[in-house]
Amino acid sequence: MRILKFLLRKEFRQIFRDKSILAMIFAMPSIQLIILPLAANFDVKNVNLAIVDNDHSTYSQRLISKVGSSGYFRIIEASHSFKEALHTVEDNRADLIMEIPAGFERNLVREGSQKLSLAVDAINGTKAGLGGAYLNRIIGDFNGDVRLQWMQSGRFNEATAIDVTSSNWFNPLGEYRFFMVPGILVLLLTLVGGFLSALNIVREKEIGTIEQINVTPIQKWQFILGKMIPFWVLGMIVFTIGLLIARLVYGIIPVGSLATLYLFAGVYLVALLGFGLLISTYSDTQVQAMFVAFFFVMIFILMSGLFTAIDSMPPWARAIAYMTPVTHFIEVVRMIILKGSGLADVTRQLLYEIGFAIVLNGWAIWNYRKTN
Amino acid sequence: MKQLLVFIRKEFYHVFRDRRTLLILFGLPTAQIMLFGYALSSEVKNINLAVVDFSKDVATQQIITKIQSSSYFNLQQSVLSYADMERAFREGKIRAAIVFPTGFNDDLRHVNKAQIQLIADASDPNTATTITNYLTGIIGDYQQQINAAAALPYQIQTETRMLYNPDMNGSLNFIPGVLALILMIVCTTLTSVSIVREKELGTMEVLLVSPFKPILVLIAKAVPYLVLSLLDFALILVLAVFVLDVPVRGSVVLLFAESTLFIICCLSLGLLISNITASQQVAMLASMMGMMLPTILFTGFMFPLENMPLPLQLVSNIVPSRWYYLIVKAIMLKGLGFGAVWKETVVLIGMAVGLLGISLKNFNIRLA
């Protein structure tokens, strides 16, 4: 125990001596947490639309103004031909083209039906899908207006209508930042903990100081614990700062219990640091450690369910996503902060994290050799 | 000139001697692009949906069957009370619920009007909106089926064309984005340690007493990484085309030229970081921890840049991968030529020149 105390004192001193690393640990995540959630906004409200009106009739004008006033679309250009409109898509200025054919009004009124064509920049699937769906709904509404105008009431039987009401639970206003802030907090914690711990042991290898430790009677587990505890403390501080920022800047107050949240964060950090130390024991140089950490952290980030839905991934990819500790932590942080889920609701994920912590740390201790 | 060649050769030896790092540099991005190419897509599928059916009649059964036959939803065992539904939401077992009130079919047949309630878990607002849209669409279809007998006059039909991506390949948007992201992080980090390592190991002093111009030192350091990065790019491109079925509609030569420019830009950024930091650790933390999330968010492949507040839109302009991503999309997916990307190209050239200039100015001849 005494040896561990000495080791800890040494590690803490080393960390606090280097001011630029300290700044990196605390300032960088804080700044990013304040700024980045504002950038991560997927409201599909500003769909850019180019319009080709070949009809120039009262009806086509009415349709255009209905679309324009819906709040979802920004009409960026009224082009003279489809070819011209296509240029706006090529330049990324427009996401959608709506082409009203010549004779639109006449055909609609006299023939009783008319086609409209939409062209969607389908490289970005979400925007294309949602934008197209909104536009179709608006056109449907417009169609209803036209029908109402031309059909005398009572002449036809009233059409059957299903009235759909929808409600959004846990975030009634659909605020995107409520969704992003807890997730980004987890990612920043992961970046700080993962990279710092991955670089740590290998740095001593590269500088040569590890040999001095190896000739002392320090046990492997003492050495690893000595490396882990300081980072764990730093991580918990970063997490606390993050929660404070979430509260002060974004007004996010956890619905669920803070104790559960901290319990989870504590276990998660042990797992994550074990992962970093494991990388460290396998690498020869800091560059290697950094790139291996980069490889995994990027998988953690992009497959964590923060940016794309895990449910939509193919089964094998879903399996990989669930094999990473980050995925569970992000899920749980959201559940506790936004939905007020309790310890009982997140037991499964907690057991996963404990499993990760035991396996990763056990592996790191086992793989750390005192002789090269 | 001969001096420079000798020096570049020395740097090449350094880089290529370290087999393990080389393996990592080629193996990992390859694995990443494959993984993300298949795994990431902005589609929403397989959503766990609970049905709360207080009516249990013909009509609700028909609608449920309709929902079941779409690939968007996994129907969970139907729950019978609001309390059960709420618990399922809290445990994260369902993302949405559809509630049929009692007497649904009766209302539909006799009053011509019936109600359905949709509840979505909006802790993920984007998915919630998409789910609500899908469900509303399915219910709308059903409604049309009922009304089919009375074919309505004055119909506007819409025909939708999917430009550039007729098969709706969900990962098409992500591959250029991930490509830009990987290249940017790998190139910058790799060079960011190059100079600082020599400072840390003490070999920098040897270089500085040699009669070598600083700019030559920088160039010699950058050339091996440029070659490495281009090989990395070529590998990723081959995988994208032959394994992931991403088309290259435009000119491959132009794509390589633009990629070279982008890589030079990232290398310059790396050199700059290397110049102003004191240890490998700080350099790497700055280039990875500091750049990873901003690059992901500001490249524009995850979240639309035009949704961001204006100051952040301005910030996104200084992220090189943002411009490169536009270029790759235009050349690869849209098949456009240089005429469509010249503006982005000018921006990247400006960045490369600027960053190199600052690096050079900051490159201290004397050690502290």
Side-chain angles (χ1 to χ4, degrees):
Chain A
M1 226 45 211
R2 233 167 59 96
I3 296 180
L4 188 60
K5 222 169 85 186
F6 284 127
L7 276 177
L8 284 177
R9 196 179 298 160
K10 160 196 163 267
E11 293 291 338
F12 269 113
R13 271 203 199 134
Q14 266 180 339
I15 294 170
F16 283 98
R17 205 168 36 199
D18 193 343
K19 293 285 179 299
S20 46
I21 298 242
L22 266 189
M24 208 105 39
I25 295 173
F26 294 116
M28 205 139 74
S30 306
I31 296 170
Q32 293 195 10
L33 189 62
I34 292 173
I35 295 175
L36 294 182
L38 296 171
N41 185 346
F42 216 116
D43 271 341
V44 184
K45 271 186 187 142
N46 300 310
V47 183
N48 293 319
L49 181 69
I51 288 183
V52 187
D53 184 359
N54 293 318
D55 195 38
H56 297 290
S57 58
T58 332
Y59 272 30
S60 70
Q61 287 307 318
R62 260 173 55 190
L63 176 59
I64 292 169
S65 70
K66 195 174 172 88
V67 172
S69 61
S70 67
Y72 294 115
F73 297 98
R74 278 200 306 227
I75 298 176
I76 57 118
E77 193 159 284
S79 312
H80 297 292
S81 68
F82 183 77
K83 224 179 137 189
E84 204 183 299
L86 197 58
H87 279 301
T88 61
V89 177
E90 288 178 345
D91 291 349
N92 282 307
R93 282 183 292 134
D95 305 306
L96 267 167
I97 302 173
M98 179 171 84
E99 191 181 14
I100 302 172
F104 172 74
E105 178 173 320
R106 198 192 48 215
N107 290 341
L108 183 59
V109 177
R110 294 209 190 137
E111 319 277 330
S113 91
Q114 174 58 46
K115 274 202 169 69
L116 261 184
S117 47
L118 310 180
V120 177
D121 180 353
I123 292 175
N124 181 344
T126 311
K127 218 169 175 184
L130 286 181
Y134 288 144
L135 196 53
N136 268 313
R137 201 186 291 169
I138 295 168
I139 293 170
D141 270 3
F142 175 76
N143 202 171
D145 295 348
V146 173
R147 210 170 276 150
L148 208 67
Q149 188 184 340
W150 286 90
M151 287 161 59
Q152 289 97 1
S153 51
R155 209 176 115 197
F156 291 92
N157 285 332
E158 198 184 329
T160 307
I162 299 176
D163 189 10
V164 180
T165 52
S166 59
S167 45
N168 286 331
W169 279 16
F170 310 117
N171 180 6
L173 298 176
E175 298 247 27
Y176 214 72
R177 62 209 166 107
F178 286 3
F179 171 69
M180 288 312 293
V181 172
I184 289 185
L185 171 61
V186 171
L187 289 190
L188 289 168
L189 191 65
T190 307
L191 287 177
V192 173
F195 284 142
L196 276 181
S197 55
L199 283 179
N200 196 277
I201 295 178
V202 74
R203 179 153 188 265
E204 299 219 26
K205 279 194 211 168
E206 220 173 7
I207 303 178
T209 48
I210 202 158
E211 307 201 346
Q212 290 163 19
I213 291 175
N214 284 345
V215 294
T216 62
I218 294 172
Q219 303 278 311
K220 282 176 170 192
W221 64 268
Q222 288 171 330
F223 179 68
I224 298 273
L225 265 187
K227 290 283 177 197
M228 165 155 319
I229 292 172
F231 291 130
W232 189 86
V233 173
L234 288 179
M236 291 308 264
I237 298 175
V238 169
F239 187 66
T240 309
I241 295 176
L243 285 180
L244 282 175
I245 291 177
R247 182 171 199 145
L248 297 176
V249 180
Y250 290 99
I252 298 173
I253 297 165
V255 184
S257 115
L258 270 181
T260 317
L261 204 54
Y262 269 93
L263 170 69
F264 218 94
V267 175
Y268 171 73
L269 267 176
V270 175
L272 177 74
L273 295 177
F275 165 77
L277 295 177
L278 180 63
I279 291 180
S280 213
T281 60
Y282 268 106
S283 314
D284 305 326
T285 62
Q286 291 184 65
V287 177
Q288 282 175 11
M290 201 65 182
F291 276 104
V292 176
F294 158 71
F295 172 71
F296 285 106
V297 167
M298 200 157 132
I299 292 176
F300 290 173
I301 291 180
L302 291 183
M303 295 183 72
S304 65
L306 182 63
F307 299 123
T308 61
I310 293 176
D311 294 338
S312 315
M313 294 177 185
W316 60 267
R318 225 177 302 158
I320 293 176
Y322 282 120
M323 272 193 305
T324 68
V326 186
T327 306
H328 300 287
F329 191 37
I330 288 187
E331 193 185 349
V332 165
V333 166
R334 279 181 182 159
M335 283 166 79
I336 297 176
I337 294 185
L338 297 175
K339 297 193 212 169
S341 306
L343 190 57
D345 297 321
V346 300
T347 313
R348 188 173 51 86
Q349 289 92 334
L350 187 65
L351 290 177
Y352 269 124
E353 297 290 0
I354 292 174
F356 284 126
I358 292 173
V359 170
L360 292 168
N361 285 292
W363 192 351
I365 294 174
W366 176 76
N367 192 52
Y368 165 62
R369 303 202 189 289
K370 289 189 73 172
T371 50
N372 288 345
Chain B
M1 207 53 205
K2 210 182 137 217
Q3 255 183 341
L4 181 64
L5 283 179
V6 174
F7 200 14
I8 291 178
R9 196 184 303 158
K10 169 206 156 245
E11 291 292 333
F12 261 110
Y13 282 137
H14 270 306
V15 173
F16 283 93
R17 204 172 34 198
D18 187 355
R19 290 285 149 82
R20 203 161 158 195
T21 308
L22 276 185
L23 190 71
I24 291 172
L25 281 182
F26 284 103
L28 299 188
T30 309
Q32 277 175 335
I33 200 90
M34 297 294 293
L35 188 57
F36 298 141
Y38 284 114
L40 298 186
S41 91
S42 42
E43 289 164 294
V44 174
K45 281 186 299 199
N46 308 317
I47 298 150
N48 290 330
L49 176 82
V51 176
V52 189
D53 189 352
F54 292 117
S55 190
K56 289 198 187 301
D57 54 39
V58 199
T60 63
Q61 202 47 54
Q62 280 169 346
I63 294 178
I64 292 169
T65 314
K66 230 176 148 59
I67 294 172
Q68 248 163 351
S69 63
S70 84
S71 69
Y72 301 128
F73 300 101
N74 286 334
L75 280 198
Q76 297 300 297
Q77 227 178 353
S78 53
V79 284
L80 288 169
S81 71
Y82 276 99
D84 284 349
M85 178 178 76
E86 204 175 321
R87 190 170 323 120
F89 269 117
R90 245 179 254 294
E91 287 171 356
K93 285 192 179 143
I94 54 170
R95 300 262 169 255
I98 179 167
V99 186
F100 297 100
T102 46
F104 181 78
N105 192 37
D106 290 345
D107 288 348
L108 204 60
R109 304 291 159 206
H110 304 307
V111 198
N112 273 352
K113 207 171 179 66
Q115 281 195 333
I116 291 179
Q117 195 190 4
L118 304 181
I119 298 166
D121 175 355
S123 60
D124 178 348
N126 191 33
T127 309
T129 316
T130 312
I131 295 173
T132 310
N133 268 328
Y134 284 162
L135 282 174
T136 313
I138 293 173
I139 296 165
D141 269 1
Y142 179 74
Q143 186 181 316
Q144 261 180 358
Q145 250 175 38
I146 304 179
N147 288 329
L152 294 169
Y154 309 112
Q155 286 232 6
I156 301 177
Q157 283 143 5
T158 49
E159 234 176 16
T160 308
R161 257 208 300 162
M162 296 295 168
L163 298 171
Y164 312 119
N165 186 8
D167 310 326
M168 290 302 281
N169 176 356
S171 61
L172 212 57
N173 177 45
F174 283 99
I175 288 166
V178 173
L179 175 69
L181 176 65
I182 292 178
L183 277 184
M184 170 118 175
I185 302 278
V186 170
C187 297
T188 313
T189 311
L190 207 52
T191 36
S192 76
V193 287
S194 65
I195 292 175
V196 82
R197 186 167 44 198
E198 300 221 22
K199 282 194 222 166
E200 222 172 19
L201 296 177
T203 48
M204 199 61 176
E205 307 194 355
V206 183
L207 269 183
L208 291 178
V209 294
S210 71
F212 231 58
K213 282 197 186 133
I215 184 161
L216 294 184
V217 176
L218 286 188
I219 291 178
K221 289 252 167 239
V223 168
Y225 295 124
L226 176 65
V227 173
L228 266 184
S229 308
L230 271 174
L231 288 175
D232 235 348
F233 168 72
L235 187 64
I236 292 177
L237 189 65
V238 166
L239 284 175
V241 172
F242 292 103
V243 184
L244 298 169
D245 289 326
V246 180
V248 179
R249 301 208 169 93
S251 143
V252 179
V253 178
L254 181 62
L255 195 57
F256 262 91
E258 296 281 0
S259 302
T260 312
L261 174 61
F262 173 62
I263 291 168
I264 291 176
C265 205
C266 297
L267 296 182
S268 316
L269 181 62
L271 286 176
L272 180 61
I273 294 175
S274 205
N275 276 333
I276 56 179
T277 48
S279 70
Q280 284 191 69
Q281 215 176 353
V282 180
M284 283 191 280
L285 289 178
S287 49
M288 284 217 176
M289 210 166 86
M291 284 177 26
M292 201 185 255
L293 282 184
T295 312
I296 291 178
L297 293 176
F298 290 124
T299 298
F301 71 109
M302 281 287 179
F303 300 99
L305 295 172
E306 64 266 25
N307 279 8
M308 297 178 189
L310 191 66
L312 292 186
Q313 288 190 30
L314 296 179
V315 169
S316 76
N317 286 329
I318 60 169
V319 178
S321 56
R322 178 217 156 138
W323 303 100
Y324 179 63
Y325 167 64
L326 289 178
I327 294 174
V328 174
K329 259 199 330 185
I331 299 176
M332 270 179 98
L333 306 180
K334 298 185 179 173
L336 303 176
F338 183 69
V341 295
W342 68 269
K343 270 183 264 172
E344 287 82 0
T345 311
V346 169
V347 173
L348 283 184
I349 291 176
M351 284 182 174
V353 171
L355 286 169
L356 261 183
I358 303 174
S359 295
L360 200 58
K361 235 186 134 194
N362 271 301
F363 186 56
N364 277 330
I365 300 297
R366 265 168 243 289
L367 291 172

